Amino acid sequence: MKPPKKLSILLWCLVVFWMGFIFYQSSKSANISLSRSGQLISWVAETIYHPYNQMDEPEKQEFVEKWQIPIRKLAHFIEYLIFGFLVSLAVGLLPGKPKVMFVLVFIFWVLYAATDEVHQAYVPGRNPSIVDVFIDSVGALAGILVANKIFLPIKNRRARQAEIDRYNRFRKNRKNAAVNPANQDHKSEYPPGESSGRGKNIQE
């Protein structure tokens, strides 16, 4: 199910934008990145984890440090989940597409995740991680699963409607042929998309 041209352009623009966003996030030094994630953890804890507000400052700092790594890994996963979601829509990577297309796109995700880790090797305080490449790849796979979950019912509904319309046109043609035998075409004996055995033999 290839998206319409204008929608396809929009999706590819979003893909490029998100790639730039991932690159931008990876360009932040370790100190800035840790500070941002620490602020996020503190804000979430203050909002939904009431015991956090009863802690003193050293305990709060220890709590934040404890959750730094899980939250940062989750951020990796979500970044690439969105990335996989956008790419899968942009290329129409939904059920019915050749498996080779999926393999090629998955390789693209893995390579981009790997190059992102190489990029981090040149950012102060940050180091490349094979674990992050794995997390990113799993996130991208989750993205296409989410896309399929959302859009597969739409595709199936359209396919069923197309089949109903096709059958109705066939019945209408048969009815018209019965009313006006002189205008009957031998092709009307078969539903659209099918051919007679004779035609098949000729092709063979």
Side-chain angles (χ1 to χ4, degrees), residues 14-28 33 36-37 40 70-88 108-109 112-113 116-117 119-120 126 132-133 135-144:
L14 289 174
V15 168
V16 173
F17 167 79
W18 198 252
M19 291 173 68
F21 174 78
I22 293 174
F23 183 87
Y24 169 74
Q25 291 296 108
S26 298
S27 299
K28 295 177 181 177
S33 181
R36 296 279 180 84
S37 59
L40 175 62
I71 292 300
R72 291 169 67 83
K73 300 308 179 185
L74 178 62
H76 269 273
F77 179 85
I78 293 175
E79 279 182 348
Y80 277 80
L81 184 149
I82 296 173
F83 186 32
F85 180 84
L86 292 174
V87 172
S88 65
F108 166 73
W109 286 324
Y112 190 77
D116 184 49
E117 292 302 313
H119 167 225
Q120 291 184 43
R126 305 189 72 164
D132 286 347
V133 174
I135 293 173
D136 295 343
S137 302
V138 173
L141 283 174
I144 189 175

Side-chain angles (χ1 to χ4, degrees):
M1 184 172 64
K2 188 69 175 177
K5 185 176 180 180
K6 290 184 178 179
L7 178 58
S8 181
I9 293 174
L10 174 61
L11 288 170
W12 278 114
C13 288
L14 289 174
V15 168
V16 173
F17 167 79
W18 198 252
M19 291 173 68
F21 174 78
I22 293 174
F23 183 87
Y24 169 74
Q25 291 296 108
S26 298
S27 299
K28 295 177 181 177
S29 67
N31 291 336
I32 294 176
S33 181
L34 288 171
S35 176
R36 296 279 180 84
S37 59
Q39 291 172 2
L40 175 62
I41 294 170
S42 296
W43 178 79
V44 172
E46 289 174 358
T47 304
I48 65 175
Y49 186 62
H50 298 297
Y52 180 82
N53 297 315
Q54 309 300 323
M55 298 178 183
D56 55 28
E57 286 305 316
E59 289 176 329
K60 288 182 178 180
Q61 183 64 30
E62 183 180 352
F63 179 89
V64 170
E65 291 176 357
K66 175 183 176 181
W67 285 96
Q68 278 277 9
I69 293 180
I71 292 300
R72 291 169 67 83
K73 300 308 179 185
L74 178 62
H76 269 273
F77 179 85
I78 293 175
E79 279 182 348
Y80 277 80
L81 184 149
I82 296 173
F83 186 32
F85 180 84
L86 292 174
V87 172
S88 65
L89 295 186
V91 301
L93 193 59
L94 295 172
K97 286 292 182 179
K99 291 182 179 180
V100 65
M101 175 68 78
F102 172 80
V103 173
L104 291 175
V105 174
F106 179 68
I107 291 174
F108 166 73
W109 286 324
V110 174
L111 288 177
Y112 190 77
T115 56
D116 184 49
E117 292 302 313
V118 173
H119 167 225
Q120 291 184 43
Y122 298 93
V123 177
R126 305 189 72 164
N127 297 300
S129 170
I130 296 297
V131 173
D132 286 347
V133 174
F134 175 77
I135 293 173
D136 295 343
S137 302
V138 173
L141 283 174
I144 189 175
L145 293 177
V146 171
N148 284 335
K149 188 68 174 179
I150 294 174
F151 293 99
L152 180 57
I154 298 175
K155 179 180 179 180
N156 288 341
R157 185 165 61 249
R158 289 180 177 177
R160 286 194 299 268
Q161 186 60 48
E163 187 65 25
I164 291 171
D165 293 342
R166 180 169 171 265
Y167 179 70
N168 288 337
R169 286 195 301 270
F170 170 67
R171 290 191 62 185
K172 183 178 180 180
N173 291 338
R174 288 293 298 269
K175 183 177 180 180
N176 291 338
V179 173
N180 303 298
N183 296 330
Q184 184 175 2
D185 191 325
H186 71 280
K187 292 183 180 180
S188 65
E189 297 177 3
Y190 307 96
E194 297 183 9
S195 60
S196 66
R198 180 181 178 183
K200 183 177 180 181
N201 291 334
I202 292 176
Q203 292 177 357
E204 292 175 350

